[in-house]
Amino acid sequence: MDYVYGPGRNHLFVPGPVNIPEPVIRAMNRNNEDYRSPAVPALTKTLLEDVKEIFKTTTGTPFLIPTTGTGAWESALTNTLSPGDRIVSFLIGQFSLLWIDQQQRLGFNVDVVESEWGQGANLDILASKLAADTAHTIKAVCVVHNETATGVTNNLAKVRSILDDYRHPALFLVDGVSSICALDFRPKALEATKTAKSVRVFFDWNDYLKFYKLGTFWPYTHPSNCFMDLEQVWISFLRKDLTILAVEAWGLKNCTQKEEWFSDTVTAVLVPPYIDSSEIVRRGWKRYNLSLGLGLNKVAGKVFRIGHLGNLNELQLLGCLAGVEMILKDVGYPVQLGSGVAAACAYLQNNTL
């Protein structure tokens, strides 16, 4: 789509990237620095301690690696597993699909458990597989915490409980790309790197550990500006409630099939068969300067996504909901203008301190 300039700001309501706090933007607006200067290790040491708080640990060893979520996947897999290791991995949407593809291409033996898109990981099947695995051939269980393609959040505590109940030593590997800093999460995986035989270079944790001990922290040149912007931004659960109420008022359905799986960070909205959800996203951008998330893969053309995470407030979300109502009217859906906004406003007024 062509870039269209409009006054004011773009209304960014995709599940990522998200709105950035102004102090963070200002912190990034600085010149590059010598990564070998004494200031960089001092800053890095502080950041590593701060990151521990995000992951709810006081003893864990975090790594700051400039990469995308795909790189984080590869880092976790190659540092903890060896080629041929058996993995149980849950396919519930586009991002779990991509992670499984990576697992297979890296040479692991992937036992895929597939659910209908809009459902969470089938933990009954996990329990049966662990019960049958008395020889402990399963080396890892891989779960996407927050599947943004469908708006599904998996219950990690329940997965951990199942592993503990069967006293199974499998590693629990989690994609936290759209949940860390937003949903509760606590990790522990470093011990496994001592026996992992997967080939790794750029993502090798041992390289980092070596430079951690030296006190310089970085095994290569890092993008210093990126690390000036680390700030913890927790999500407001109220925004999810407002969005769900609006969707219900419009007479539409959530792609996520059970309330227990509803994501706090994104809502995927199903549209009627006669509407192409891609047109909703296109019109939002072109006509109203509103960015919504597309439906991906199996739900392409069937859902649009409203991201409600990052640096935004409830009144900003009301603006997004108003824009969605106008778009729905544009594409021929018989929405009553103001219905979703009114439902959200009523709830917000009664639940704001």
Side-chain angles (χ1 to χ4, degrees):
M1 293 180 283
D2 295 334
Y3 175 78
V4 178
Y5 174 78
R9 301 182 67 171
N10 169 255
H11 294 266
L12 182 62
F13 284 87
V14 297
V18 299
N19 295 279
I20 304 174
E22 290 293 337
V24 174
I25 294 175
R26 289 195 293 271
M28 294 175 66
N29 186 24
R30 58 191 295 160
N31 201 359
N32 283 327
E33 299 180 30
D34 175 11
Y35 81 103
R36 292 188 177 90
S37 76
V40 171
L43 172 64
T44 305
K45 185 177 181 179
T46 300
L47 293 178
L48 288 170
E49 289 301 314
D50 290 343
V51 167
K52 287 183 182 181
E53 294 184 22
I54 296 174
F55 287 92
K56 304 291 183 68
T57 182
T58 57
T59 59
T61 302
F63 297 96
L64 296 176
I65 303 177
T67 185
T68 64
T70 306
W73 287 344
E74 186 166 329
S75 173
L77 292 168
T78 58
N79 278 282
T80 59
L81 299 168
S82 300
D85 279 354
R86 182 185 174 194
I87 301 173
V88 175
S89 199
F90 293 88
L91 173 50
I92 61 170
Q94 176 65 8
F95 296 99
S96 52
L97 173 68
L98 292 174
W99 196 16
I100 287 169
D101 175 65
Q102 184 189 75
Q103 293 161 16
Q104 292 169 334
R105 291 165 67 181
L106 286 170
F108 304 116
N109 176 17
V110 188
D111 188 346
V112 179
V113 180
E114 185 169 3
S115 299
E116 181 182 347
W117 288 31
Q119 296 182 359
N122 191 325
L123 300 187
D124 291 335
I125 292 181
L126 174 62
S128 65
K129 287 183 179 295
L130 294 177
D133 186 31
T134 56
H136 295 164
T137 62
I138 298 172
K139 301 303 180 184
V141 174
C142 296
V143 176
V144 172
H145 190 185
N146 193 63
E147 176 56 79
T148 54
T150 56
V152 167
T153 297
N154 284 300
N155 187 335
L156 299 187
K158 191 171 182 180
V159 177
R160 180 70 264 169
S161 176
I162 293 171
L163 283 162
D164 292 344
D165 287 345
Y166 288 98
R167 297 183 180 179
H168 200 289
L171 289 170
F172 184 18
L173 302 184
V174 175
D175 167 352
V177 173
S178 64
S179 65
I180 303 302
C181 277
L183 307 175
D184 194 27
F185 180 72
R186 304 156 196 265
K188 186 174 77 172
L190 190 59
E191 188 66 21
T193 196
K194 296 176 181 178
T195 56
K197 294 181 173 58
S198 294
V199 174
R200 52 194 184 269
V201 180
F202 180 77
F203 297 117
D204 195 335
W205 296 348
N206 290 316
D207 289 347
Y208 279 84
L209 293 172
K210 175 183 176 181
F211 282 83
Y212 282 12
K213 290 178 180 178
L214 292 173
T216 53
F217 295 102
W218 297 100
Y220 49 76
T221 307
H222 72 283
S224 58
N225 291 27
C226 292
F227 298 102
M228 302 299 175
D229 71 334
L230 289 178
E231 178 173 305
Q232 187 171 331
V233 182
W234 293 97
I235 195 149
S236 165
F237 303 133
L238 185 57
R239 296 178 219 153
K240 173 189 71 175
D241 297 334
L242 300 181
T243 307
I244 291 171
L245 286 170
V247 172
E248 292 174 350
W250 298 331
L252 297 174
K253 292 183 178 180
N254 198 316
C255 180
T256 309
Q257 295 180 15
K258 289 183 180 180
E259 187 174 349
E260 66 185 85
W261 293 323
F262 284 178
S263 171
D264 292 324
T265 64
V266 60
T267 299
V269 185
L270 286 166
V271 299
Y274 62 87
I275 293 176
D276 179 0
S277 66
S278 300
E279 179 63 13
I280 290 176
V281 176
R282 190 192 72 81
R283 281 178 178 262
W285 166 265
K286 197 83 172 179
R287 190 171 188 188
Y288 300 108
N289 200 16
L290 170 62
S291 293
L292 300 168
L294 286 164
L296 303 173
N297 201 311
K298 286 188 178 182
V299 292
K302 299 177 182 178
V303 309
F304 67 92
R305 297 175 294 152
I306 301 173
H308 32 81
L309 70 165
N311 184 49
L312 58 91
N313 58 42
E314 287 71 28
L315 290 183
Q316 287 175 272
L317 179 59
L318 292 178
C320 169
L321 299 177
V324 171
E325 289 186 358
M326 292 186 288
I327 299 166
L328 290 172
K329 196 84 169 178
D330 288 346
V331 298
Y333 180 73
V335 65
Q336 180 180 345
L337 291 178
S339 58
V341 174
C345 283
Y347 186 84
L348 178 60
Q349 186 181 29
N350 290 324
N351 290 275
T352 300
L353 299 177

